[in-house]
Amino acid sequence: MDVEPAVERTQQNLNALIAALPNVLIAIVVFAVFFFVAGMLKRGVQAAVIRARRSTSAALVIGRIAQWAVLLVGLLAALSVVLPSFQPAQIIELLGISSVAIGFAFRDILQNFLAGILLLLTEPFRIGDQIIVGDYEGTVDDIHTRATYIRTYDGRRVVIPNGVLFNESVIVNTAFENRRTDCDIGIGYGDDIDLARQLILDVLQSLPDVQKEPKPDVLLVRLDDFAMTLRARWWTAPSRLDTLIVQDRVLQAIKVRLNENGIDLPFPTTQVLFHDQTEATDGDRSRQREGWPAGKVNVPEPATLSRTFAATIGKYGKNRDTGQGDR
């Protein structure tokens, strides 16, 4: 076996590598300089973003993007030193040709990435805010360039793509310092509306967790079938825990105060009226018992109705047991 060509080729490669060592060392130095500059630029950008009163997550992401951009330029510069025939325009041209295929292949990833950047820049919500997105509600734990992490109130984590957050409606419960809570309270038609309103206002104004400004109020909103509905409205801190705790205290205090002052808290009732006429008495109002006065003559007794039902039940029960009779 003739190994001389292989030896010569190996020798040529070694000579080329030795000849390229100075360029490799220079390329390493160039990349190291760019790496150092990228780190400094990252810290500077993060500090500038924080001074601009942006969130920490936005500062981290923007600083990383600036660092990656500088590192990419440094990599192209180092490749140009090692390979003098290499031109950065070649990579740019290659990326331009393949951008369509890359765009189709990574469409969702790129969409979520760009949406994450825009969310961090515009900041419709921040880490720690309580938001509602579709069927999910919870506290924002972290915001990444691809997805946002939410911790639900029952202790679960929901990962929502940033594209969904950017395109759909998001309710931010903690966007402002105050949050209003509404509660409907029914009182009887025989009760004094002004008295009930004042009693509820006294309760709202006496509780320390209910904010004094904006002031709480009580409005008559409906006249229902069995009650007049008053709507109590008050303001608290925006977090869900605060609103639930204050609502519990408010409702308990309102119930006690209204009961102490004789205000009725009615509930729906249903009256069932049985039709106990026969064909002979059908249409005779003096024999009807469906809600209007029947008069004093020939009013059917409830016992008759009971005996009729008992006889009917017994008849059908007998038929069911013996298998005889009409079906």
Side-chain angles (χ1 to χ4, degrees), residues 3-15:
V3 297
E4 185 175 353
V7 173
E8 291 181 357
R9 189 56 180 266
T10 303
Q11 186 65 36
Q12 291 175 1
N13 292 335
L14 290 175
N15 293 336

Side-chain angles (χ1 to χ4, degrees), residues 18-303:
I18 293 173
L21 280 179
N23 292 339
V24 172
L25 294 177
I26 295 174
I28 293 175
V29 173
V30 170
F31 186 78
V33 171
F34 274 91
F35 185 84
F36 178 74
V37 172
M40 294 183 60
L41 181 62
K42 174 185 175 182
R43 290 188 290 270
V45 169
Q46 291 176 351
V49 173
I50 292 176
R51 284 196 299 269
R53 296 182 180 180
R54 297 289 184 176
S55 64
T56 304
S57 296
L60 290 174
V61 172
I62 296 175
R64 289 171 184 171
I65 292 175
Q67 183 184 27
W68 295 341
V70 174
L71 289 177
L72 178 60
V73 174
L75 180 61
L76 295 177
L79 289 176
S80 299
V81 173
V82 175
L83 303 173
S85 61
F86 170 78
Q87 297 295 330
Q90 296 175 354
I91 288 186
I92 297 176
E93 181 180 358
L94 179 61
L95 292 176
I97 295 174
S98 59
S99 60
V100 176
I102 294 175
F104 277 108
F106 299 97
R107 180 180 58 184
D108 293 338
I109 296 176
L110 293 176
Q111 179 184 4
N112 292 327
F113 176 80
L114 294 177
I117 298 300
L118 293 175
L119 288 175
L120 291 170
L121 292 177
T122 58
E123 290 188 329
F125 53 84
R126 299 184 178 185
I127 295 176
D129 279 336
Q130 295 179 354
I131 66 175
I132 301 176
V133 184
D135 297 332
Y136 303 107
E137 179 178 0
T139 304
V140 179
D141 261 351
D142 203 354
I143 304 174
H144 294 271
T145 54
R146 190 195 70 83
T148 296
Y149 295 84
I150 295 178
R151 184 178 71 253
T152 61
Y153 301 129
D154 55 357
R156 295 180 294 174
R157 169 176 288 179
V158 180
V159 181
I160 302 178
N162 288 329
V164 175
L165 294 171
F166 189 77
N167 293 323
E168 294 187 2
S169 300
V170 179
I171 300 176
V172 185
N173 290 330
T174 53
F176 304 104
E177 296 180 356
N178 304 323
R179 181 178 176 183
R180 193 182 73 186
T181 303
D182 301 345
C183 181
D184 290 346
I185 303 164
I187 63 173
Y189 274 94
D191 294 318
D192 188 338
I193 297 177
D194 292 332
L195 175 60
R197 189 199 313 269
Q198 188 58 48
L199 292 173
I200 296 174
L201 281 175
D202 292 342
V203 169
L204 295 176
Q205 294 170 354
S206 64
L207 293 177
D209 295 327
V210 176
Q211 297 184 1
K212 308 306 179 184
E213 291 293 337
K215 295 182 179 180
D217 57 10
V218 180
L219 305 173
L220 178 64
V221 293
R222 287 193 311 275
L223 298 177
D224 293 323
D225 296 337
F226 60 92
M228 298 182 292
T229 301
L230 298 176
R231 179 166 296 169
R233 307 190 303 178
W234 65 90
W235 295 81
T236 62
S239 70
R240 178 177 173 84
L241 180 61
D242 292 332
T243 57
L244 288 178
I245 291 177
V246 175
Q247 178 176 305
D248 171 75
R249 296 173 181 173
V250 167
L251 294 182
Q252 182 177 358
I254 289 176
K255 194 265 183 185
V256 173
R257 183 67 61 88
L258 293 181
N259 286 342
E260 290 175 349
N261 290 270
I263 302 297
D264 187 21
L265 296 176
F267 52 87
T269 57
T270 302
Q271 182 178 10
V272 181
L273 299 173
F274 295 98
H275 186 83
D276 55 357
Q277 294 176 254
T278 64
E279 292 183 0
T281 60
D282 192 16
D284 184 0
R285 289 197 174 186
S286 65
R287 303 298 300 271
Q288 292 179 353
R289 298 173 57 83
E290 281 85 16
W292 54 74
K296 299 181 180 179
V297 182
N298 297 327
V299 178
E301 295 295 333

